[in-house]
Amino acid sequence: MRPRHLRRRGALAAAATTLAVLCAGQTLAAPRAAAAPVSTADQEVRTSTASEVHATQDTAARAIAAALTDPAWRQRVRQAALTSDEVAVTALADGDLRTTLAAADRRIAAAKGLAPDVGPLLRLRLGDPSMRGALTAGTQPWVAAATSDDGPVTAYDSRGRTHTLDAREAPARPVYVVDIDGSRALAAGLDVLHEELALRGVRSADPAPEPERARASAAAAGFWTTRVTAVSLSDDQEPWIKGDAEIYTLVTGFGHDGKVRVDPVDMPYLDNDGTVYRPQQILVNWSSYKYDLADAVMMEEDGATNYRDLAKAIAAVLLTVTDQGAYVPLVNAVLDAIPDDWWTDDPDYVDSWYTLARTDNGTRHGAPHTGVNLGHPQ
């Protein structure tokens, strides 16, 4: 089994208030699934996806920086960055710059396997709150693309010159960071993942709706569910150039037909470390599963994920797993389906839970010894 911690955006930590686990579920050993062979063509596609997204963001950063020579544009961006956490920069721009950024939006969507009508994906934000004072005082900002994990950050000034910055220590000079709207990309990506899995023969439910709608739906239908009652992200120790986490969970188990199913669950509220979220969100709808056991793998969208490729990789492995008349955990199969080269940046593995039971209640600790609070089944 591959190492679980090549890079983690944010570890799940148990909430302050916990409940005793009433049933820990079965403890069957999870077999290692044989990963599908990775062809040279598939490798090139994944490399191309990351390269295209990163190069496009970098091109957009250069264009935005060059446009800062225009006093009116410079003031418009400064005002937007100081009054909003994220700026829809394509809509803010005009003229040739807007045309350039709109083309960049389309290239990013195509590289990520998203529909062309997903909408503008580029966002601009101030790199760190500590930069607000200098920006307000009129210090000329630089612009950088949010493509670096641990290496140096390349920023551009309005004259096209490059500046190398430390990824771990925010500079005193203000820096605009050009990033992707993770919430929009993830929501669209999970729809693609659901559709592609279904096309490849893996049953999959639509990504879970908003918590309030989900609770109302469960109450009306009367089906049995397991909910996330409290969850938080620990200190993610990420570079200042990275933005909020965009978390989703893949719930896996066996459907009533005895075939493996994967149900993606979007967790759009789970953004910042050090904050306890109490979403009351449905994690598992037990009416979809043959056994009263399921697994969950929590992931993070990290910019360069191609969701069609991800669905293809997961389906290739899970379709080889058959129902043997007793529950077999599927966490390892999902993790082994993700090609090794993806573990360096996207999509990030956060945590996993083996054999969640329908009767579980309280804190369940994941593979890296972190936890999530589960509510009373409904």
Side-chain angles (χ1 to χ4, degrees):
M1 187 184 304
R2 68 170 58 87
R4 297 292 194 233
H5 307 290
L6 296 186
R7 199 181 80 73
R8 292 179 60 201
R9 171 68 170 260
L12 273 179
T17 302
T18 60
L19 299 174
V21 176
L22 299 182
C23 179
Q26 295 182 0
T27 55
L28 297 176
R32 176 181 175 81
V38 180
S39 68
T40 301
D42 286 343
Q43 175 70 33
E44 290 175 351
V45 167
R46 290 191 296 275
T47 302
S48 176
T49 296
S51 298
E52 178 70 10
V53 171
H54 292 167
T56 302
Q57 285 180 257
D58 190 73
T59 298
R62 287 175 181 263
I64 292 168
L68 291 176
T69 55
D70 178 355
W73 166 249
R74 188 166 62 244
Q75 177 57 31
R76 193 154 71 241
V77 177
R78 177 189 291 122
Q79 181 66 23
L82 289 172
T83 56
S84 177
D85 291 337
E86 285 192 338
V87 178
V89 68
T90 303
L92 188 68
D94 51 27
D96 291 343
L97 178 60
R98 186 165 190 170
T99 300
T100 297
L101 298 183
D105 283 323
R106 292 191 294 271
R107 286 196 298 272
I108 291 171
K112 291 174 67 62
L114 304 178
D117 61 354
V118 66
L121 291 172
L122 287 174
R123 291 293 183 270
L124 179 144
R125 55 181 167 78
L126 193 58
D128 191 83
S130 64
M131 302 173 182
R132 294 180 62 85
L135 183 63
T136 301
T139 302
Q140 294 298 315
W142 294 339
V143 185
T147 60
S148 174
D149 265 351
D150 300 309
V153 175
T154 299
Y156 304 99
D157 63 26
S158 59
R159 298 173 62 182
R161 297 173 300 188
T162 61
H163 305 269
T164 301
L165 305 175
D166 188 339
R168 292 292 170 180
E169 184 175 352
R173 178 180 289 272
V175 177
Y176 294 143
V177 176
V178 178
D179 208 343
I180 292 175
D181 184 342
S183 295
R184 183 190 292 267
L186 178 57
L190 291 186
D191 285 340
V192 169
L193 185 67
H194 158 66
E195 294 167 3
E196 286 293 317
L197 286 171
L199 284 174
R200 298 179 185 279
V202 177
R203 290 187 179 275
S204 174
D206 286 321
E210 292 297 321
E212 286 295 336
R213 291 172 55 199
R215 289 200 298 272
S217 176
F223 53 79
W224 200 274
T225 66
T226 291
R227 293 173 287 121
V228 178
T229 60
V231 63
S232 67
L233 292 171
S234 67
D235 182 6
D236 56 25
Q237 299 182 344
E238 275 288 87
W240 57 269
I241 199 167
K242 288 289 186 178
D244 290 341
E246 298 295 342
I247 302 295
Y248 63 102
T249 295
L250 301 178
V251 178
T252 62
F254 291 90
H256 293 289
D257 58 0
K259 297 180 180 179
V260 171
R261 64 178 295 125
V262 178
D263 297 319
V265 179
D266 192 359
M267 296 180 161
Y269 52 86
L270 198 54
D271 290 331
N272 301 310
D273 58 15
T275 301
V276 177
Y277 298 92
R278 304 182 186 280
Q280 301 296 320
Q281 182 183 27
I282 292 177
L283 182 66
V284 187
N285 173 2
W286 293 105
S287 66
S288 298
Y289 295 89
K290 175 180 178 180
Y291 300 104
D292 289 342
L293 297 167
D295 296 321
V297 178
M298 183 172 281
M299 308 288 287
E300 182 205 3
E301 141 73 28
D302 204 15
T305 307
N306 184 303
Y307 289 91
R308 296 190 191 279
D309 289 347
L310 180 59
K312 178 181 178 181
I314 290 175
V317 171
L318 291 187
L319 287 174
T320 68
V321 181
T322 58
D323 182 10
Q324 301 295 324
Y327 186 74
V328 177
L330 298 168
V331 168
N332 289 359
V334 173
L335 298 183
D336 286 342
I338 299 172
D340 290 337
D341 57 297
W342 285 17
W343 287 82
T344 59
D345 187 41
D346 68 308
D348 280 355
Y349 167 71
V350 177
D351 210 338
S352 53
W353 290 270
Y354 292 80
T355 57
L356 294 174
R358 191 175 78 162
T359 52
D360 278 352
N361 184 63
T363 301
R364 280 300 306 266
H365 292 280
H369 307 295
T370 58
V372 61
N373 269 25
L374 301 178
H376 292 285
Q378 300 295 316

